[in-house]
Amino acid sequence: MPPETAPAADPHKKNRARDVESWATLKRFLPYLWPRDNPGLRARIVISMVLVLAAKAVTLALPFAYKGAVDAMSGTGTASDGATVALALVAAYALGRFTSVAFDNLRNIAFERVGQIATLHLAEDVFHRLHRLSLRFHLARRTGEVTKIIERGTKSIDQMLYFLLFNIAPTIVELIAVGVIFYINFGIELVAATAVTVVLYVWVTRAITEWRTKLRREMNDLDGKALHRAVDSLLNYETVKYFGAERREEARYSHAARAYAEAAVKSENSVGLLNMAQSVITNALVGAAMAYTVWGWSTGALTVGDLVLVNSLLIQLFRPLDVLGWVYRTIRQGLIDMGEMFRLIDTDIEVKDKPGAPALIIRKPTVVFDNVTFGYDPGRTILNGLSFEVPAGSTTAIVGPSGAGKSTIGRLLFRFYDPLSGRVLVGGEDIAEVTQESVRAAIGIVPQDSVLFNEDLAYNIAYGAEGADQAMVEQAARDAALTPLIERLPDRFATMVGERGLKLSGGEKQRVAIARTLVKNPPILLLDEATSALDTRTEQEILATLRRIAKGRTTIAIAHRLSTIADADNILVLDHGRLVESGDHTGLIARGGLYAEMWNRQASERRDDDVPAAEAAE
């Protein structure tokens, strides 16, 4: 039997679901627009809406002045009397147009701060949430796509608010007012024709715009993909150069950009169809209404000014409706973009502080892993019931083959993840029971790849502790042996380090990372393969600095090269996430186990490296 196929999705249900989602998004945004704790902003909104109604009242009165002027000029009185009345009405017409423009601009001035503050608060909330999401989220999501979501969401808010408050709402008011005017002056027939035309206009505009919104969503996806490929390629500029992959990267970007261009062509071409459909509907009503007025004039029931009145009111009514497709699309797209931002805010925080969790208070800086089991994925366990203790003030090294789980220990210690079972204790406290902020404040790290901000040296060093002053920065630089480098630089501490610190060498970046940790001055120090990417000479210099700053601290050194941790007080040997050996260097060598095997292999590799060097020297 062939497999059953899922029934085709009902497009009307999809549209209804999107409508519900869109209005739910708008409802959720309202507290940003109408903040309870800011009466000044709410007053601005009220003033803005009053100005909107005032501008609309003036706009609706203008056609009557125009009609009066025309009737005065075509009346049966003397020319001088007609000219006087006509001139007065023309002056009133001109003043009314100016007043309408003045009200619109005063409205914009009053509302601008409201829109900007609402956008600012939403963007701050998204940024706040992103920094509290787990490391798993940030490793899985593409940075370019996340930044694009924030950029599109914040940019769409201002336009969306403008159209909702100052286009859609006033147009509805004007439509009702025009209906009342037509009923009083021309009867129910013109009101009915106008209502039917507007309903047809809105329906056609919505149908075509829904199709265009689908194309627009496709454009956004392709735009995000193109941006991601561009950002990823530029961030890995050196790797691209190493492998001569410029053409490959250009081809990848070009493929994504070409797909975006094709989607953009379809989207923009649909504008022509929408404009033509709208024009047919609006011009049909204007023509029919003016013909009806001419017929009324021919019977003596209406005047020439009535023709001008009908034409002016319909033109004014359809002027905002002419851009209804664009307005509707902008609002829908804005709701989609805002919805994406709210989805970021709604992303579950994997690692949470317990309600009312206290701050960690360290009396003895010990670290304990108590029967910890952990895996990044359900089917792949990294640590299997790992237990060990790091006494206060000691230096403990963690070694093992690649994939043994060494770096995972550092991530659990900083509580980027929670164990599947077991506990991690710092200073005798389970870190799951205290605040993450206090745990991370107690631990300093010098990682293998020290990533720096694209700021100056002083900023990067002072980043270790909020409020660090220049004296602290200079002292940390001296203690990290950075002074010789800084004295060679023309701008000294004001020297820009480049994106991710690429203007500095590996050793210089490590020293900055050490200085940053010294500013933090933590009781517990984690060295996560801090010298594995350095040459031998630089490694020895950095190691001397690390040994100096480790004095008086509880230090955990995760290492690949065993020669760098041979003097540790205790060495833990991991294999497949389990502790297989522990002891000092001498004892582990004498035992002849995994540690001795790794030591002998690395010693052999060092001897092999030394032979060509000696031959070259001869």
Side-chain angles (χ1 to χ4, degrees), residues 380-459:
R380 180 175 171 234
T381 304
I382 304 297
L383 300 181
N384 296 279
L386 180 64
S387 297
F388 65 84
E389 180 176 358
V390 181
S394 68
T395 296
T396 296
I398 301 176
V399 301
S402 296
K406 302 186 296 295
S407 294
T408 300
I409 290 173
R411 290 176 171 178
L412 291 174
L413 184 59
F414 271 93
R415 210 185 163 204
F416 291 154
Y417 302 93
D418 281 332
L420 300 178
S421 64
R423 301 183 301 163
V424 179
L425 295 91
V426 173
E429 294 281 349
D430 186 345
I431 63 173
E433 303 294 331
V434 296
T435 62
Q436 298 173 60
E437 182 180 3
S438 63
V439 170
R440 292 164 189 163
I443 307 170
I445 183 170
V446 181
Q448 176 181 0
D449 182 18
S450 299
V451 179
L452 306 181
F453 291 94
N454 190 11
E455 297 283 351
D456 58 31
L457 276 171
Y459 177 88

Side-chain angles (χ1 to χ4, degrees), residues 453-460 485-486 488-498 503-504:
F453 291 94
N454 190 11
E455 297 283 351
D456 58 31
L457 276 171
Y459 177 88
N460 278 283
L485 166 67
I486 293 170
R488 293 196 306 269
L489 298 172
D491 295 329
R492 294 177 61 79
F493 283 99
T495 301
M496 299 296 291
V497 303
K503 290 184 179 181
L504 302 180

Side-chain angles (χ1 to χ4, degrees), residues 83-106:
T84 301
V85 175
L87 284 173
L89 290 170
V90 166
Y93 180 81
L95 180 62
R97 287 182 63 87
F98 166 77
T99 304
S100 177
V101 171
F103 283 158
D104 284 343
N105 284 276
L106 288 172

